[in-house]
Amino acid sequence: MTGRRWAGTARPPTRRRWARSGSCSRAGLTSARSSTRRSARCLDYDEARGTDLAQTLDAFCATGQSVTNTAQALQLHVNTVAQRPARIGRLLGESWREPERLLEVQIALRLLKVSKGQPRR
């Protein structure tokens, strides 16, 4: 099996190499860490209470932030799904629905799920 090549090296880029190359700023790394920590709150909340906020968030994003389509996709009542974004907002911060922030949250949730060995859906 051959190793994966990263920009002429055999190793994946580290934070230091990314920052040196100009591909990633310190502010971007801080924002990514913050999003990952906040998204972890959502997964921790699910584990502690037996809820599916992370799954709801994933479906909510996949359906274009439509409560009705999310409810259909998850086979839940619309009112149940309608209450969950407020709970997610309390965990992630009220700005979680802004496009840039929502993308960060989606990426962070996927990374956390992969690191915990959870399937995508």
Side-chain angles (χ1 to χ4, degrees):
M1 186 163 122
T2 61
R4 195 167 189 177
R5 304 295 289 178
W6 301 90
T9 66
R11 299 179 310 195
T14 62
R15 267 189 286 165
R16 181 170 286 163
R17 280 195 295 261
W18 273 100
R20 261 195 325 247
S21 70
S23 300
C24 188
S25 68
R26 182 169 295 280
L29 287 173
T30 303
S31 178
R33 281 191 206 116
S34 175
S35 292
T36 303
R37 271 194 302 269
R38 286 184 180 148
S39 298
R41 286 187 208 155
C42 194
L43 292 175
D44 292 342
Y45 183 93
D46 283 351
E47 287 176 16
R49 291 177 175 78
T51 59
D52 288 325
L53 291 182
Q55 182 182 19
T56 302
L57 181 56
D58 192 28
F60 189 69
C61 294
T63 60
Q65 300 183 36
S66 166
V67 173
T68 304
N69 292 341
T70 301
Q72 289 174 349
L74 297 176
Q75 298 178 349
L76 295 171
H77 194 274
V78 176
N79 290 341
T80 302
V81 175
Q83 294 170 8
R84 291 185 180 181
R87 192 171 306 137
I88 292 168
R90 286 193 299 271
L91 293 169
L92 302 180
E94 293 304 318
S95 66
W96 73 273
R97 283 187 165 189
E98 295 172 10
E100 186 175 306
R101 178 88 170 84
L102 187 58
L103 178 61
E104 291 173 0
V105 169
Q106 285 177 296
I107 292 169
L109 269 178
R110 290 228 177 128
L111 290 172
L112 287 168
K113 284 181 181 181
V114 168
S115 71
K116 290 187 177 191
Q118 294 179 358
R120 181 162 180 245
R121 267 198 239 169

